[in-house]
Amino acid sequence: MAGKGLWLASGLAILGATGPAGLTLDRLVAATGLTTGSFYHHFAGISGYKADLLEHFEEVHTMRHVREVTAAEGLDARGRLELLLDLVLQDDEPARLETAIRSWAIDDPAAAEVKQRIDAVRLGFLRKLLRESGYGETDAIQTARILYLLMLGASNMLPVVPPEELRILAERVLS
């Protein structure tokens, strides 16, 4: 991975490890092994970088999942819910990132706006899948919120709740 992609992937790793205060140019240069000239070639300063990083987070940890699940041919609505759960639980990076993004959104209106949009997309997509699975509107809204809050709450627990346990809890909500 070279150039812009490396800067963004490194930024997510730093954000997950150190929180928003860790997103400094010095730390990014050290993590990527690239030059500050390369950074300024790809981004309009640190504020431009942070805006791109938020968009990258939204793409990788929300929109990519929505596209994959929507495109899954041959799966009924319950199967698409299972696929979404698989995608969300397949790695442990998002748990720390979710906490860091929410922390960032407390003090930064741009981060708060992106986080609100991500939450709305995720909850709306869950609600849609639940409706297609036969849930009534009110039950779909409430169950989507419960599932979402389960995942967000788990990302704040220490020790970390393992993906296998989260799957069992999510299945219990869905049964």
Side-chain angles (χ1 to χ4, degrees):
M1 180 186 322
K4 189 172 185 174
L6 181 56
W7 287 110
L8 294 171
S10 296
L12 289 182
I14 291 168
L15 183 62
T18 66
L23 288 174
T24 65
L25 185 53
D26 288 341
R27 191 168 273 152
L28 286 162
V29 167
T32 61
L34 300 173
T35 66
T36 56
S38 170
F39 178 86
Y40 286 107
H41 171 75
H42 292 290
F43 305 102
I46 197 73
S47 62
Y49 173 77
K50 288 179 177 181
D52 285 0
L53 187 64
L54 287 166
E55 286 180 24
H56 180 68
F57 173 80
E58 181 176 16
E59 170 56 32
V60 171
H61 295 288
T62 299
M63 301 315 297
R64 177 178 56 95
H65 297 327
V66 170
R67 276 194 311 279
E68 279 187 52
V69 171
T70 300
E73 295 182 20
L75 291 179
D76 62 8
R78 178 61 186 229
R80 288 194 309 275
L81 274 168
E82 298 280 337
L83 175 58
L84 180 60
L85 193 55
D86 289 343
L87 293 170
V88 169
L89 294 176
Q90 73 186 4
D91 67 64
D92 64 352
E93 178 186 81
R96 287 187 297 276
L97 270 175
E98 285 291 335
T99 302
I101 294 282
R102 287 183 188 287
S103 174
W104 187 2
I106 290 170
D107 298 320
D108 184 321
E113 183 180 318
V114 170
K115 195 62 198 137
Q116 277 186 307
R117 184 174 62 236
I118 289 169
D119 287 345
V121 167
R122 290 173 177 175
L123 282 166
F125 190 61
L126 271 171
R127 184 198 59 76
K128 176 183 180 287
L129 291 176
L130 290 163
R131 288 284 291 144
E132 291 172 1
S133 295
Y135 285 70
E137 183 64 20
T138 301
D139 286 341
I141 291 168
Q142 292 173 351
T143 303
R145 280 187 185 266
I146 291 168
L147 287 169
Y148 196 52
L149 292 170
L150 171 67
M151 295 300 166
L152 293 178
S155 71
N156 287 293
M157 301 243 347
L158 291 175
V160 173
V161 180
E164 305 78 34
E165 185 177 343
L166 277 174
R167 173 171 284 293
I168 291 167
L169 294 171
E171 291 293 337
R172 185 168 186 164
V173 170
L174 291 169
S175 62

